[in-house]
Each structure stands twice: as structure tokens, then as C-alpha cells.
Amino acid sequence: MLKKKRRSSPARKAMKLLCFLLGLILVIMLGTTLFFQYQLGILPEDGLGITELFSGDSLKGLLSLSMPDWVDGLAGGHEEGLIGGSGSSIVNILLIGQDARENEERARSDSMILCTFNKKTKQLTMTSILRDLYVSIPGYGSNRINAAYAWGGGELLKQTLEENFHLYINGTVEVDFEQFPQIIDLLGGVEIELRQDEANLINEETGSNLSAGVQLLTGDQALCYSRIRKLDANGDFSRTARQRKVMSAILSAYRSSGLTTMLSLTKSLLPMVTTDMGNLEILMLAAEVFPALSGAEIRSQYIPAEGMYSGQMIDGMAVLVPDTQAVQQMLEQTLLGE
């Protein structure tokens, strides 16, 4: 007798479909991971063979990279009371712009912007740290905060921010101002709304012919705009506001690019910057943050904010002495969304 074919029940069909979808998602995730690793130079150019990839230590290493491990690895260590770190909803990346002169390894940090991405609120907050901020620098006493970078690089600057404002910094990205225009030009320029006096100053410095209104600035023009501080009575406060505008414009130009263009830009930009993050950390950061950037709300602020400092002359320096407790509370509220 011929046996009748057993019909699949709806539940059995649903299970097969679920297994297929889970397998498909796993393959896509694995392929995307390997593609990003290849783009960042983690894998050799000829890649891994299929047999090597799905056997032995290679498979064990890939399977060990579960998402919770990625998140913990990106966050790093965490001490009680810090804003950020393991278990936190935020990622803090410190952007450092420095202008080293000839025969100098590094100068004082001319620009410091803390970029904080809140995974819960989907907000990106850019916090300018004014260079005249008078703080305690571990091992060196008190001085302007931009001296920390000159004396101990990004690591000492991170320690200084942790000691004074309880900030946990996941990583630093440093760029020399000589390379800043190249980064802008790779993006095809950035759109900035100019006042007439700003346009006049940029024209004088760069030989341009800009006018008031929204203008597409080249790298040299954007660098000149970022350095303006003498057109306003509040000096460095306005200068850092301009820097945040440029950073917002860079981010807008970057995230509006297609995936292929974005990867190409990333590959071109990476050699121009110095970071204390490894390739795997960059990969994890991209996996966590990039998917949400397109819809992220961008906010900007500066420390010390109005009413949170006093202007003083100390050792012949005009400095901003902060109310550190007030600054810490402000950062907790704005970065953590509390």
C-alpha cells in the first residue's frame, strides 16, 4: 500500500518559517560584521575561507561576540557615580582638535567636544568644553583644562574630566587642524548660515566671495569659521557654538550619504584621525549607534553654562572657575535624560 504524505500542520509550517528567518538574520548579521571588519582592515584582504570561517577558533570567536558582550566591551569599566560606562544608556566620545606648531608633538587642545549618544532617548548631545575652564589636573595641580592634553594627551584629558565632572569617556578621537579641511572636502563641503561680518572675515582670510545667508563652505572656509572668536563680546562661548554648528553640519552631510558612500568616507577618514579605540571597538560603536543616527535628535550645549562659573585672574591667567557640582548635575540631566 502507498503511504499517504503527512501534511504539515500550521504550527509545523510556522516553526520552519521561524527557523528559516532566524537563520537568514544570522547570515545577514555575520556577513555585515565581516564586511565592516574588512572595511576597517581587521580581516586580511583575501578574507577567510568558508572552511576556516566555520570551524575551530574562528567560529568560536565569532559566536562569542554576542550582543551583550559587545555592549559591555564598548562601555568598558565603570565606577559608581560616573556619567556613562558599563550598564549605562549612553556612549561618550571625546573629539579633540589640536593645532600643533612645527617641531611640537602636540599643542594644547584648541577644541574639545563631548559627543554623547543616548540609546534610550535617541538623542545626540554635543557638549563644548571651554578651554579656559580652570580645573584640577591629576598630577599637575590646577590649570586651564586644555593644558591637560599638552601634558598627557587624550588619556590625561579623560582622567581630568572624570575627576572634575564624573564623566566616563568611552574613547577619544583626535584630529589636527591641518587635516580638518580635508575631512570637510571629502564630504563635499558643509552648509552653514553666516552673518555678514562672519562672511567678511572668512573672505578676508581665504580670498573667498561669501555673503550672509546659508553658504556651502569648503574645508578651509569651515576651519576659518570654526576659529572666529573676536566678532562677539563673549569670545570663546561664540567660537565653541560655531564649532558645534560645523560638527552638526558634518554629521548631517555624513548620515545623508548612502551606505556605499558612507563606508568609502569612513575608510578615507580613519587615517586622518587618531583614536584610542581599537578596530573592534569602532565596529561595535558603529553597530550600536549608526542605525539610530538618521533619526537622532541633535542637541548642543557648553560647560560651564551661564551661572555655573566665575571669571577670575589666577597666576596671570583669565580663567573660568566652575561650580563643579552644578556642572555635574547639569550633565546628568542633559546626557542621561533624568
Side-chain angles (χ1 to χ4, degrees):
M1 293 179 62
L2 293 174
K3 291 184 179 179
K4 291 184 179 180
K5 290 184 179 180
R6 188 171 57 184
R7 293 182 180 177
S8 298
S9 66
R12 189 179 180 86
K13 287 182 178 179
M15 183 60 69
K16 285 183 177 179
L17 179 60
L18 178 60
C19 290
F20 171 77
L21 291 175
L22 287 175
L24 181 61
I25 291 171
L26 177 61
V27 170
I28 292 172
M29 288 176 63
L30 181 60
T32 303
T33 299
L34 293 176
F35 183 65
F36 267 101
Q37 287 178 324
Y38 172 77
Q39 288 294 323
L40 295 175
I42 299 174
L43 298 180
E45 283 192 4
D46 56 356
L48 291 173
I50 297 297
T51 305
E52 294 170 292
L53 180 60
F54 289 97
S55 64
D57 293 336
S58 297
L59 178 60
K60 187 184 297 183
L62 287 167
L63 292 177
S64 69
L65 291 176
S66 62
M67 187 56 69
D69 292 334
W70 282 22
V71 175
D72 288 341
L74 178 63
H78 177 56
E79 295 180 14
E80 192 68 28
L82 294 185
I83 304 172
S86 183
S88 171
S89 63
I90 66 174
V91 176
N92 288 320
I93 304 296
L94 182 62
L95 304 183
I96 305 168
Q98 57 103 359
D99 198 5
R101 271 60 175 181
E102 191 175 352
N103 299 322
E104 285 183 332
E105 181 179 349
R106 69 170 68 93
R108 296 193 176 204
S109 46
D110 190 69
S111 172
M112 294 160 283
I113 300 178
L114 180 67
C115 292
T116 303
F117 183 73
N118 190 313
K119 292 174 279 186
K120 287 184 178 178
T121 64
K122 300 297 186 290
Q123 290 176 344
L124 177 66
T125 303
M126 292 187 293
T127 306
S128 291
I129 303 165
L130 272 69
R131 60 186 181 181
D132 290 338
L133 198 58
Y134 193 73
V135 295
S136 173
I137 300 175
Y140 292 88
S142 295
N143 208 310
R144 288 174 172 149
I145 194 168
N146 66 344
Y149 179 78
W151 293 337
E155 187 58 36
L156 183 57
L157 187 52
K158 286 165 63 174
Q159 294 174 18
T160 301
L161 289 169
E162 180 177 320
E163 180 175 301
N164 289 271
F165 305 116
H166 295 176
L167 283 166
Y168 180 88
I169 308 299
N170 296 86
T172 62
V173 176
E174 305 173 32
V175 59
D176 192 292
F177 277 120
E178 286 186 1
Q179 296 169 317
F180 185 80
Q182 298 176 50
I183 295 174
I184 300 289
D185 290 335
L186 276 173
L187 290 165
V190 290
E191 287 191 341
I192 301 289
E193 185 170 3
L194 300 177
R195 303 188 322 229
Q196 188 59 54
D197 57 345
E198 294 170 334
N200 292 340
L201 184 57
I202 296 172
N203 291 339
E204 183 181 335
E205 293 289 331
T206 64
S208 306
N209 189 29
L210 301 172
S211 57
V214 178
Q215 301 287 331
L216 181 65
L217 303 187
T218 65
D220 287 333
Q221 293 167 342
L223 175 59
C224 181
Y225 174 80
S226 300
R227 284 175 159 167
I228 295 174
R229 63 176 296 175
K230 295 183 179 179
L231 294 181
D232 304 282
N234 59 1
D236 209 36
F237 289 90
S238 291
R239 185 182 72 98
T240 57
R242 291 185 179 96
Q243 291 171 354
R244 293 194 301 275
K245 283 184 180 179
V246 172
M247 287 303 304
S248 294
I250 290 174
L251 180 60
S252 295
Y254 188 77
R255 68 182 183 178
S256 64
S257 304
L259 179 60
T260 303
T261 303
M262 188 179 290
L263 288 172
S264 176
L265 284 169
T266 300
K267 198 169 183 179
S268 299
L269 292 175
L270 285 177
M272 296 185 184
V273 300
T274 302
T275 178
D276 59 358
M277 296 181 289
N279 284 340
L280 185 56
E281 290 176 290
I282 296 172
L283 175 64
M284 292 187 292
L285 179 65
E288 272 208 291
V289 175
F290 276 17
L293 275 182
S294 60
E297 177 188 357
I298 302 176
R299 293 182 172 185
S300 67
Q301 59 185 15
Y302 56 85
I303 56 172
E306 291 294 334
M308 297 184 185
Y309 70 93
S310 61
Q312 299 182 28
M313 288 293 297
I314 300 179
D315 296 331
M317 299 183 297
V319 296
L320 307 174
V321 180
D323 180 338
T324 54
Q325 186 174 0
V327 173
Q328 288 171 19
Q329 290 176 349
M330 184 201 83
L331 290 172
E332 288 175 359
Q333 292 170 356
T334 56
L335 303 184
L336 298 176
E338 296 180 352

